[in-house]
Every structure is written in C-alpha cells, then in structure tokens.
Amino acid sequence: MPPSSHPPISRRLVLATAGAMSLCVALAACGGGSGAGGGTASSAPSAAAAMSQAEIDKAMSTPTELTFWTWVPDIQQEVALFEKKYPAIHVKVVNAGQGVPQYTKLRTALKAGTGAPDVVQMEYQYIPTFTITDSLLDLRPYGASALRDKFVDWTWGQVSGAGGEVWAIPQDTGPMGMLYRKDVFDKHGIAVPKTWDEFAAAARKLHAADPDIYLTDLASNEAAAWHGLLWQAGAQPYVSANKSDISIKVNDETAKKLATYWGGLAKDGVIGVEPDFTDAWFSALNKGKYATWITAAWGPLFLSGAAKATAGKWRAAPLPQWDPANPLSGNWGGSTSAVTKTTKNPIAAATFAQFINSDPESAKLFATKQFFFPATKALLADRSYVGEKPAFYGGQQVNQVFADISGTVKPTFQWPPFLDQVVTDWTETVGKSLAGKSDAAAALDQWQTRITTFAKSQGFTVQGQ
C-alpha cells in the first residue's frame, strides 16, 4: 500500500484505497483449519432461526452500543444516518488499523474471547480466513438474503458460503480495467489493445521506438494484481467444498498461460517489473515511464492524486481479452461489513451492517465522499455518478467505463482460507521470478508446492494430491 507521507497523495486518498491494495502485504500465518478464533455468542441464533419482526423491533429500540472497526476515513456521516433511524443504538467507530494491524488485532481478540468488535470492515479475500475459524455470524436470520438483488451479482458470490450463508454485506469493489496514456498511444500510433496479443505487440513496438518508455509495469510485489488477472483468465485456483477439503490449482493450464505471457514480456524487457506504491513508482508515473496501468476501479481517482503532472493525458478502457467474444474481468480490492460471532448484540450489529451498505443515501456517500467504487446496482446505474466527466481523463466518463466492466466479473472465483501464506509464497516464487526475469511458469510449480505443503500441514485435505 502507498506510504501516507508521499507528497502527491492526500491522507484521505491513501486511507480510502489502502483496503483495496492490502492484499499485496503478506500477513502472519492464520493457523489454517485449527478451528481456533471464534466463539458463538449465546444470543446468536442458528441459520434456520430467522428473527421475527417483533424481535428485531425490540432489539432496535433497546439502548445499545456497537463497536465498529473500520479504516474508512470520515465514515461518521454514514454512521449518523443509521443512528438517526435507530436512535437507541450508538455506534462507536474505532480505527484499529488497516490491513495487517487490523486483522492481527482481530485474530487476537477473537482468540482471547474479549475485545472483538461487533462489526468489522473486511476485504472480500479475507472472508474465508475468518469463516474457517468460525468467527463470522451468518446474517441470513437477520434478513440479509433479501438484499441480494441490490448488489452486483459477483459481489454477493464473494460474501456467500457454500451452504448459502451470508457472511458479510458488500460495500465497495475493484473491477479491473486499464488506464492508458492517450498522448503516448497517439504519438506512436498505438490503438487501444482489445486482446492480450495486441497488448504484447504494442509493448514491443513502444519500447523499440522509445527505450525509456514501457507499455506497463507488472509489479513483482503485487499478488493482488496477479490474482485479478487469474480471475479474468477464468482460473479457479482455490475451490473449497468444506472446511477440510480444498483444491489448489495455481499452476494449471490457465495459470501457466498467464505466467508464460507475462514472464515472456518481462524476460524480453518490454514491460517494467518494479514494485508498486513506492516513491520510485510514483515518480515513474509522473515522468511518463509507463503508458498504461493495469488497475482497478479505485485506480482512476488514486492516479489523479498520484500523478498530477500528467493531468488530461489518461483515459480508461477494459482489460485486453483472451477471448474477445466473451469479455471478462477480474476484481482487485473492495471490502465488506461483517459481524463477529462473539457479538452480544447480533440483531443490532447485523442491522447496522446491512443498513450502512444498502441504504441509498449511505451507499452514495461511500461513492461520493470516500470515493469508493459502488457495489450496489442502483449507483452503477445512477447517471449523476456514472456520468461524471473528470478533467484528469479528458472528460471521459470513467465511472461508466468501470461500471460496464463490473458486469463482466465472473461470480465463481474463490479465495483460500490461508491467504496470508499464499501471498507470502507468491512473492517468494512468482514475484521473484518476474523481478529476476526468470522462468515464471516454473515459479508457478514452486508456488503450488509451497501452498500445498502448507495446507496439508494445517490439516487440510488437498484434492488431487
């Protein structure tokens, strides 16, 4: 994640995008499938015991204090909307950190059985890490299923369990697209690539014409972007049927295609592989070293703060495609509101998680105040939002571009319940191969072996092994 001290970026922007990018940071091991870390509060019902409206009304009119852990800046305005509707409920907002600090504190509190929040900001990719330890409350008994149609289909897939559980409520998203320098493309006669073959040809053409410019930078420290590209390519690297069985296929045919493609471009020296969100990377964007950024829907606003010297020169487009007849994208980033299973106030906590993300006024505040990319269908169809024409992008309706892209994200992609280890192993294998311009496909085999060994050591049965 970017350093908050970097001059071109405001603190608001750093905090607002930190959640989207924290997958690039390796975490401490989650402890696999040990089952530690979550206790069931006596007041929390089973999935089958739906709350009656009378029970909900009683809980929401009983004086209660909820603790909400979130890294979102200036979120008090959204919280105030909830407290106005439910004046008996007070929400105590706590910034317990972002990324590593928050998740570490959360694990510690859950294991200790004290100090955990009622509601917690949680990125999509970390939900399995906490459901495997039975730490999150299934929100179905509190009416969450009724919200499904309000959200983009694939986001609901990200918060749902194999048994139909609803583990969290979507808040924001990061469908992936491409930001590109129109001036550079025009100067060198490059058309916006529609396919990855066209992208590779453009990379070679551009670097041959000007050795100081690369078409893009595939950061060797960015496991998040790699997962997003796997997602777009149709890979299913992790499939969990239950808490003890998992399929791991990070080196299958689809993944090897990806590694051969990007590893080849790196070996040929026609793309950059420097770490992202560093001072050198920010400087490179401002100086025009990279003509595209493969990024997510939060990227346009981030770039406008990070590369002010290039204002007006950028445009947005969908990712190049492997199969143009079947346009697809992946996701990088976004978060949810989850309720911990240890909460003493499950009805109030679940109602808060649902309200703050589905209430139209609250959801619009996230999009216009915190600049999060929406998860609700209504906002992605709101002309006042998708019709914005930022000058940084030459007046292009960038939000509309990413709203269209969001509709091409497949809903079936799953995350492993030991993401922290997966990220560490990726950085030390695939990331290392990209940085060293060595065999990225062979590095996938190393990654596969390391993850499989770890999964087995934690008591998982790895399918096909």
Side-chain angles (χ1 to χ4, degrees), residues 9-64:
I9 304 170
S10 71
R11 182 175 181 274
R12 170 194 291 271
L13 200 52
V14 168
L15 291 173
T17 55
M21 295 175 285
S22 70
L23 176 54
C24 69
V25 183
L27 305 180
C30 67
S34 64
T40 304
S42 59
S43 56
S46 68
M51 295 288 96
S52 69
Q53 190 60 50
E55 289 174 299
I56 294 174
D57 292 343
K58 180 180 179 182
M60 300 311 291
S61 60
T62 300
T64 303

Side-chain angles (χ1 to χ4, degrees), residues 213-288:
I213 301 179
Y214 298 87
L215 185 61
T216 202
D217 176 59
L218 185 70
S220 56
N221 66 327
E222 196 57 82
W226 186 265
H227 278 91
L229 292 170
L230 279 175
W231 193 334
Q232 187 222 10
Q236 291 287 327
Y238 323 101
V239 178
S240 298
N242 51 55
K243 289 188 176 182
S244 60
D245 298 323
I246 187 170
S247 169
I248 301 173
K249 296 179 180 179
V250 298
N251 67 338
D252 65 1
E253 183 179 351
T254 301
K256 286 288 179 72
K257 175 178 70 174
L258 203 65
T260 299
Y261 178 86
W262 287 106
L265 293 177
K267 272 187 177 181
D268 291 347
V270 296
I271 64 167
V273 290
E274 71 174 307
D276 57 8
F277 306 110
T278 64
D279 286 346
W281 182 80
F282 287 121
S283 177
L285 288 175
N286 274 283
K287 292 179 179 178

